[in-house]
Amino acid sequence: MEEHLLDRTSELEAFLRGVERQAYVMARTLTGDAEEAMDIVQDTMLRFSTRYARRPPGEWRPIFFRILVNRSRDFHRRRAVRSRVMNWFRDEDLPDPIETAPAPRGWDPEVAVADGEALAALEEAVAGLPGRQREAFVLRCLEEQDVAETAAIMGCSDGSVKTHYSRALAAIRQRLGEHYDG
Amino acid sequence: MDKTEHESVEARARRLYRQATGELDSAARAELARARVRAVEAAAGRDGRRWMLPAAAAAAAGAIVLGVMMTVHDQADFSPIAAQDPADEDMELLLATENLDMLSDLDFYLWLDTEPDAG
């Protein structure tokens, strides 16, 4: 019994070690916020370990990333609510500070790529996608999950994944411009 | 937009992403390691306490039996809990599936959809 627990514990440790960096970069890409991404990964690890670690290890990966994607969705929901509340209270005569603020990191596709900040440019472009398209792009393109796995993680049909991914890819291509190739 | 352009964007994006995953700074790596340790400890603690479950279950069952025996018999009936099976979503998943591998894992995916945390 004790030996079994030790085996399971070391298996869990190895699994988390294997996905933690990937999970962090994925959460950062999904949220566009490094600090929030770390919180999401910590929360995902804890929830996964305490609630799902007794599931067969073959099921761990989709469960883990499903939790991660859902926590990222929660972040976007919270941010949307916060934004609505701020807009409600703000003086109509004053310009919206969010709308008038300069783009994060002075984002400009050409300059960003030329300066070797291609990843930042990519993250900005991904952050500008609608939620489902963002998830489909991260899972299908960056994480190289197949359609069925992506559908399971996103909780939608294969057809939806294909539609979201195709639209995301077209938007990313347009956003980053021709110079991104090569 | 042709397929070649798409593939090129995909390939470049994937390479950058892989690079970012491999090049995390030491502070982020340390924080991830701490989170991992906490998560594993939490899971181990939870498993370690499981030996108490049968005793706790027996105690709870005893309390329930005692409670039922002491309760008057003319209390109102309880309504059955409404089924919350998301049948529509399941059917959509089933009908849209083109991948036979997924069908073999259908039980797992359906279970995943019912999970409050993961679903």
Side-chain angles (χ1 to χ4, degrees), chain A residues 24 27-38 75 79 105:
Chain A
Y24 172 67
R28 197 179 65 190
T29 309
L30 285 171
T31 61
D33 185 318
E35 205 173 318
E36 191 68 35
M38 189 59 80
F75 162 77
R79 195 168 66 169
R105 290 176 252 183

Side-chain angles (χ1 to χ4, degrees), chain A:
Chain A
M1 171 71 176
E2 202 167 308
E3 197 173 323
H4 169 74
L5 280 180
L6 276 176
D7 283 351
R8 183 47 70 99
T9 301
S10 54
E11 204 169 2
L12 175 64
E13 207 273 341
F15 169 75
L16 294 177
R17 185 189 291 272
V19 295
E20 64 193 19
R21 290 190 191 192
Q22 182 187 0
Y24 172 67
V25 176
M26 184 173 164
R28 197 179 65 190
T29 309
L30 285 171
T31 61
D33 185 318
E35 205 173 318
E36 191 68 35
M38 189 59 80
D39 286 348
I40 287 172
V41 173
Q42 289 170 353
D43 185 47
T44 300
M45 280 185 177
L46 203 58
R47 280 169 192 259
F48 172 80
S49 300
T50 53
R51 300 181 192 189
Y52 300 102
R54 294 177 70 81
R55 300 286 303 179
E59 296 178 358
W60 284 0
R61 199 178 164 78
I63 296 173
F64 181 87
F65 284 105
R66 175 94 166 229
I67 298 171
L68 187 87
V69 165
N70 281 343
R71 296 283 80 77
S72 303
R73 282 180 193 167
D74 290 345
F75 162 77
H76 284 287
R77 280 192 207 108
R78 283 199 308 275
R79 195 168 66 169
V81 169
R82 207 160 45 230
S83 171
R84 276 201 298 274
V85 171
M86 292 298 285
N87 281 339
W88 196 53
F89 280 114
R90 86 184 156 83
D91 189 336
E92 292 296 329
D93 295 332
L94 294 175
D96 184 340
I98 294 173
E99 280 177 15
T100 54
R105 290 176 252 183
W107 191 79
D108 174 317
E110 213 150 2
V111 172
V113 175
D115 288 352
E117 292 184 2
L119 181 68
L122 173 67
E123 288 185 344
E124 291 292 342
V126 173
L129 294 172
R132 289 295 176 129
Q133 288 184 29
R134 185 169 50 238
E135 291 167 11
F137 183 79
V138 170
L139 290 164
R140 287 283 292 126
C141 176
L142 305 182
E143 289 293 333
E144 299 183 80
Q145 303 276 343
D146 65 27
V147 173
E149 286 166 337
T150 303
I153 291 171
M154 288 176 62
C156 65
S157 69
D158 288 13
S160 295
V161 168
K162 288 174 186 169
T163 304
H164 290 311
Y165 182 52
S166 161
R167 288 176 183 164
L169 208 47
I172 291 282
R173 182 72 182 79
Q174 193 174 20
R175 182 87 197 265
L176 292 174
E178 296 292 330
H179 59 274
Y180 199 76
D181 290 330

Side-chain angles (χ1 to χ4, degrees), chain B residues 17-81:
Chain B
Y17 189 73
R18 292 276 165 264
Q19 202 174 319
T21 307
E23 291 176 356
L24 282 187
D25 61 66
S26 56
R29 288 202 307 269
E31 209 166 337
L32 288 170
R34 281 195 295 274
R36 184 199 333 130
V37 169
R38 276 198 302 272
V40 171
E41 281 175 357
R46 205 177 169 89
D47 274 346
R49 286 195 301 272
R50 284 187 186 278
W51 65 271
M52 290 189 286
L53 283 179
I64 289 169
V65 169
L66 189 63
V68 169
M69 287 170 66
M70 292 172 70
T71 304
V72 289
H73 294 285
D74 59 353
Q75 64 180 347
D77 290 339
F78 290 102
S79 304
I81 297 170

